[in-house]
Amino acid sequence: MSLEVADSRSSRPLSSRMAVALVAMASGGSPEGLDSSERSRAGARLARLKESPEPARLLRSWLANLEPRRLYVCKDLEFLREEQCLRPAGVSLPGSELNGAGFFEARVDAPDLDDVVARHMLREGGPAEANVVLHVAHSALDPDAWLLHAFYLAQHGDRSGREDAAVAKVVADHA
């Protein structure tokens, strides 16, 4: 599974603060610290996302600064999947129908990252060889937020013609 994605951004990335606010608002939350114009712009973005024929492209653009993504190569994925501090994400979520046996994607809290890397002897890998994607979790985000799930799927690009379709389905299901 290659993780190479052509830069298909359609606009500038949101700041980390605004990206977190957009994810929260999409799930019905009311993020603190936004003024009325910021709330209005976030609401307009959500409406644009739901109407877009290319929601994956918008998410790759807007949420590029949301959570750092690390690519690794792992020899024992089954052992890694048992790691208690990792939460399956993106293509590895049950029901995504995109995960292969030779690939694993998860969220990890920043303080746990180095321990996981050392314990599982992960080595950094490039997009063509990586079989593990770890998203360094932003503490303010609900790990079950639908927009976060859609963003993880969007980050894979549309390698097989299924990833962007999965993003569009997630967005349509929550419109």
Side-chain angles (χ1 to χ4, degrees), residues 82-93:
E82 294 172 7
E83 183 70 50
Q84 293 297 309
C85 67
L86 298 180
R87 295 170 303 281
V91 300
S92 293
L93 274 176

Side-chain angles (χ1 to χ4, degrees), residues 7-52:
D7 189 5
S8 61
R9 293 189 179 148
S10 59
S11 66
R12 289 182 22 202
L14 298 174
S15 69
S16 178
R17 182 177 75 86
M18 287 304 297
V20 168
L22 187 69
V23 171
M25 285 183 70
S27 294
S30 180
E32 295 180 25
L34 295 185
D35 63 34
S36 60
S37 66
E38 289 171 325
R39 283 185 196 282
S40 177
R41 284 194 304 273
R45 281 188 182 96
L46 288 173
R48 181 177 168 200
L49 178 69
K50 292 173 182 181
E51 295 169 2
S52 175

Side-chain angles (χ1 to χ4, degrees), residues 68-163:
R69 174 173 100 144
R70 306 283 188 252
L71 307 179
Y72 296 101
V73 176
C74 179
K75 291 185 180 181
D76 189 351
L77 287 176
E78 290 310 311
F79 182 49
L80 182 66
R81 284 185 175 103
E82 294 172 7
E83 183 70 50
Q84 293 297 309
C85 67
L86 298 180
R87 295 170 303 281
V91 300
S92 293
L93 274 176
S96 76
E97 299 175 10
L98 297 174
N99 187 22
F103 186 82
F104 184 59
E105 181 173 10
R107 292 182 88 217
V108 61
D109 293 329
D112 296 327
L113 179 63
D114 290 340
D115 289 341
V116 168
V117 169
R119 189 169 31 257
H120 295 276
M121 296 182 284
L122 302 180
R123 72 171 174 82
E124 290 187 37
E129 65 179 336
N131 63 349
V132 174
V133 174
L134 295 181
H135 300 275
V136 182
H138 191 292
S139 62
L141 291 173
D142 173 2
D144 297 322
W146 69 266
L147 192 59
L148 187 60
H149 174 59
F151 172 58
Y152 290 158
L153 294 174
Q155 283 186 308
H156 289 278
D158 201 24
R159 297 177 324 277
S160 67
R162 299 183 317 156
E163 291 84 1

Side-chain angles (χ1 to χ4, degrees), residues 42-65:
R45 281 188 182 96
L46 288 173
R48 181 177 168 200
L49 178 69
K50 292 173 182 181
E51 295 169 2
S52 175
E54 296 182 298
R57 189 172 181 193
L58 287 175
L59 289 176
R60 282 190 290 272
S61 297
W62 292 342
L63 302 182
N65 294 327

